[in-house]
Amino acid sequence: KVQKENEDIKASILDFMAEGQAYTISEIQKGVGLETNQKTSALVRQLKESGSVVRTEEKGKAYFSKA
């Protein structure tokens, strides 16, 4: 059940992200309406591992964008 919810949330994260735009975890969290930074980070990490999202770093801050 939780896995299904997480898949839905990951789809929402990808829907929220515009092409060519980079987001911080906090921006994604607010945009999708998730409660915790940890959950957002975990789901974005899974998207990164699956190749859907790319992580870049600028001045020590992590940004995520659609692959």
Side-chain angles (χ1 to χ4, degrees), residues 2-22:
V2 171
Q3 229 171 359
K4 171 76 177 106
E5 281 176 24
N6 286 346
E7 290 305 316
D8 292 345
I9 296 168
K10 287 195 276 190
S12 298
I13 290 171
L14 289 174
D15 287 344
F16 165 73
M17 296 173 94
E19 290 294 334
Q21 176 76 37

Side-chain angles (χ1 to χ4, degrees), residues 23-27 55-64:
Y23 301 90
T24 63
I25 289 293
S26 299
E27 289 168 337
R55 180 184 194 271
T56 52
E57 215 170 283
E58 212 175 286
K59 297 180 184 138
K61 196 163 174 69
Y63 291 93
F64 300 88

Side-chain angles (χ1 to χ4, degrees), residues 13-60:
I13 290 171
L14 289 174
D15 287 344
F16 165 73
M17 296 173 94
E19 290 294 334
Q21 176 76 37
Y23 301 90
T24 63
I25 289 293
S26 299
E27 289 168 337
I28 295 168
Q29 180 187 344
K30 285 190 191 98
V32 181
L34 290 171
E35 280 155 40
T36 66
N37 225 327
Q38 289 88 338
K39 183 167 182 100
T40 310
S41 293
L43 293 172
V44 171
R45 185 172 58 248
Q46 289 171 20
L47 287 167
K48 184 179 74 118
E49 287 165 3
S50 72
S52 303
V53 168
V54 178
R55 180 184 194 271
T56 52
E57 215 170 283
E58 212 175 286
K59 297 180 184 138

